[in-house]
Amino acid sequence: MRALVHHEFGDPAALLAVEQRALPQPGPGQVRVRTLLSAIHNHDLWTVRGTYGFKPELPAQAGTEAVGVVDALGPDVDQLAVGQRVTTGGTFGVWAEYFVADAAGLIPVPDALPDEAAAQLVSMPFSALSLLHSLDLKEGDWLIQNAANGAVGRMVAQLGAARGINVVGLVRRAAGVDELRAQGIDRVIATDSDDWRDRLAEITGGADIHVGIDSVGGRSAGDVMSTLAVNGTLVVFGAMASPTLEISSGDVIFKQGTIKGFWGSVVSREMPADLKGKLFGELITRVLDGSLTLPVAATYDFDEISAAVTASDQPGRVGKVLLRA
């Protein structure tokens, strides 16, 4: 089979290349899946660069999320059938024509859900919904987040609205406000304006904001922390701009604030099966009723991986870049 492989860590656009690899065989409790579409995520590219929390043994395949069709069953698999469409967001090496995965970790895809949505259903949307669920916010509560025009930021805004949570987003440039408004996301503020805090007070009506989500790091993390009420919590989800948080000690001490991290892959792995099923059911419902949109920026063949990586790294991109097997 054809697969995307890298022999060293570094620039994905330069190092990833199509190679022939042996067709994998499913073991007990596993199935083989014929890949249809795969999403390119930042953590996939960080893994190829060698800068992520997971470092594979080289030479390595790549990719973690895909939708495909069950092609073969291993022993002791009775919950899936050959020909069934499934998706995964936690199987390493899916940028290949076939991959093997644990049957228990695959999500059956309903007929009404397009491949383009199913190919990106798990990693980002499930992380966004798991994050919201973990915050234990009630209908009418307020939440603030930076990187509001990023993939997870858009999803948190849409899923929060569907759950009745008031979400305010921060972006670094005014153009980001217009981009989000085009998607129906209105509570957005550009921090390049000197009066952005006044604008925040107008939007919230002075209501307490108990939770902030930081996906940027640096000063932006401190900006989010500074808007929180007493006993507020800053959840660190990513570090797009800096691996260091620049936070005022006064905001932590005098507001008795809490700072904690959220790593979606660990949360998903440790989540009880019944809760995971419930959240995936909600996700699929939100996509089908249009309250959660999963746009696609572009789709590339495996042979076009260099161009696909470049497109995925493009600032201001709306939607995921997908790979076609």
Side-chain angles (χ1 to χ4, degrees), residues 305-317:
I305 183 59
S306 181
V309 169
T310 300
S312 185
D313 283 338
Q314 189 70 27
R317 168 181 50 80

Side-chain angles (χ1 to χ4, degrees), residues 247-267:
I247 295 173
S248 165
S249 58
D251 286 331
V252 179
I253 297 169
F254 302 122
K255 293 182 179 181
Q256 300 184 79
T258 299
I259 303 170
K260 68 178 185 179
F262 183 94
W263 190 4
S265 61
V266 173
V267 172

Side-chain angles (χ1 to χ4, degrees), residues 200-233:
L200 176 62
E202 292 173 6
I203 290 175
T204 63
D208 285 345
I209 303 174
H210 294 289
V211 177
I213 301 172
D214 169 49
S215 297
V216 178
R219 287 184 55 193
S220 186
D223 286 342
V224 174
M225 187 73 189
S226 70
T227 68
L228 301 185
V230 173
N231 296 317
T233 299

